[in-house]
Amino acid sequence: KNQVEQSPQSLIILEGKNCTLQCNYTVSPFSNLRWYKQDTGRGPVSLTIMTFSENTKSNGRYTATLDADTKQSSLHITASQLSDSASYICVDPDDKIIFGKGTRLHILP
Amino acid sequence: EPEVTQTPSHQVTQMGQEVILRCVPISNHLYFYWYRQILGQKVEFLVSFYNNEISEKSEIFDDQFSVERPDGSNFTLKIRSTKLEDSAMYFCASSGDPPLGNEQFFGPGTRLTVL
């Protein structure tokens, strides 16, 4: 059964600091892995789509990495802003589309 | 910028009643999805829809659920006889072709409260 595990569950950092969120997956076969941002009470918004051949992909201050050998992905946020406070969700879009539980990120001023 | 819209934003219903949640996907998208998110829990896939038929569905999507694309713009989720545990946020999403490579755009959600 495909699973997506994320860590940490929650994270608190000061505005301006960097942080890295982790995702372990067991997807097989692999087509792509996605990161979403979800503000409270809102629908998820796509940040990146990582294919098997991509090691890293950036979207502004967000950089996702992928290690297909260890089945790990990370999302790095640079120079955090208050508006980055949200849940960040790793998603396996194959077959039944499995969402991770997300990392709840709090940015403090 | 095109967006997915959903109505109503909040639906309150009595247990056992039928509800229909409505979505208008982005106009040139071909793949449509419903998800639910129980308060405080992760997003769960319900069903995907393409070419006027269900392409995938989860274990959650039992006989109480149905989806329909009644016209060229709307995509609906019907729950025939609501249960207390159906209380959740329901998100519609759409994507272009092919679905695995294309970004899914989510609507703002409908909060369903079953009393």
Side-chain angles (χ1 to χ4, degrees):
Chain A
K1 184 178 177 181
N2 290 339
Q3 292 191 357
V4 175
E5 302 290 339
Q6 293 189 246
S7 62
Q9 272 190 322
S10 65
L11 183 62
I12 301 173
I13 64 171
L14 294 175
E15 184 180 12
K17 297 297 186 182
N18 304 335
C19 65
T20 300
L21 315 179
Q22 301 290 346
C23 174
N24 295 337
Y25 61 91
T26 62
V27 174
S28 180
F30 181 91
S31 63
N32 62 77
L33 199 76
R34 305 181 180 202
W35 283 93
Y36 286 85
K37 176 186 179 186
Q38 186 180 25
D39 292 312
T40 301
R42 308 288 296 273
V45 174
S46 178
L47 295 176
T48 67
I49 301 174
M50 301 284 291
T51 62
F52 180 80
S53 60
E54 293 175 310
N55 298 118
T56 185
K57 197 166 191 177
S58 291
N59 176 7
R61 294 181 297 103
Y62 301 103
T63 300
T65 65
L66 181 68
D67 185 334
D69 292 330
T70 61
K71 296 193 173 184
Q72 294 181 327
S73 178
S74 66
L75 181 70
H76 186 76
I77 303 175
T78 305
S80 60
Q81 300 175 358
L82 296 178
S83 59
D84 291 333
S85 294
S87 287
Y88 292 83
I89 307 170
C90 181
V91 180
D92 156 25
D94 286 337
D95 195 25
K96 298 297 191 286
I97 310 181
I98 300 170
F99 281 67
K101 292 183 179 180
T103 291
R104 181 72 192 156
L105 179 63
H106 302 269
I107 310 297
L108 300 179
Chain B
E1 186 174 331
E3 58 182 14
V4 176
T5 59
Q6 291 185 242
T7 55
S9 57
H10 192 185
Q11 174 91 45
V12 181
T13 189
Q14 295 287 332
M15 189 171 58
Q17 295 296 305
E18 174 183 287
V19 294
I20 297 176
L21 310 183
R22 291 183 167 78
C23 168
V24 179
I26 293 173
S27 62
N28 62 346
H29 283 181
L30 301 175
Y31 295 83
F32 314 115
Y33 311 83
W34 281 103
Y35 299 86
R36 80 172 185 189
Q37 187 174 30
I38 296 170
L39 187 64
Q41 298 188 23
K42 67 178 182 178
V43 176
E44 297 174 293
F45 167 74
L46 293 178
V47 66
S48 59
F49 191 87
Y50 170 71
N51 200 26
N52 281 319
E53 60 183 26
I54 291 173
S55 46
E56 289 285 351
K57 60 181 181 178
S58 72
E59 294 169 353
I60 303 168
F61 195 87
D62 60 23
D63 292 343
Q64 291 298 313
F65 291 89
S66 63
V67 289
E68 194 177 31
R69 188 152 162 84
D71 53 43
S73 59
N74 290 284
F75 179 51
T76 62
L77 175 70
K78 181 192 290 186
I79 309 175
R80 289 188 181 79
S81 178
T82 50
K83 302 187 282 286
L84 295 176
E85 54 264 38
D86 292 328
S87 294
M89 196 77 159
Y90 288 81
F91 293 107
C92 172
S94 69
S95 66
D97 186 19
L100 290 183
N102 275 5
E103 178 181 345
Q104 285 189 27
F105 292 82
F106 283 74
T110 291
R111 180 166 296 285
L112 177 64
T113 302
V114 182
L115 303 176

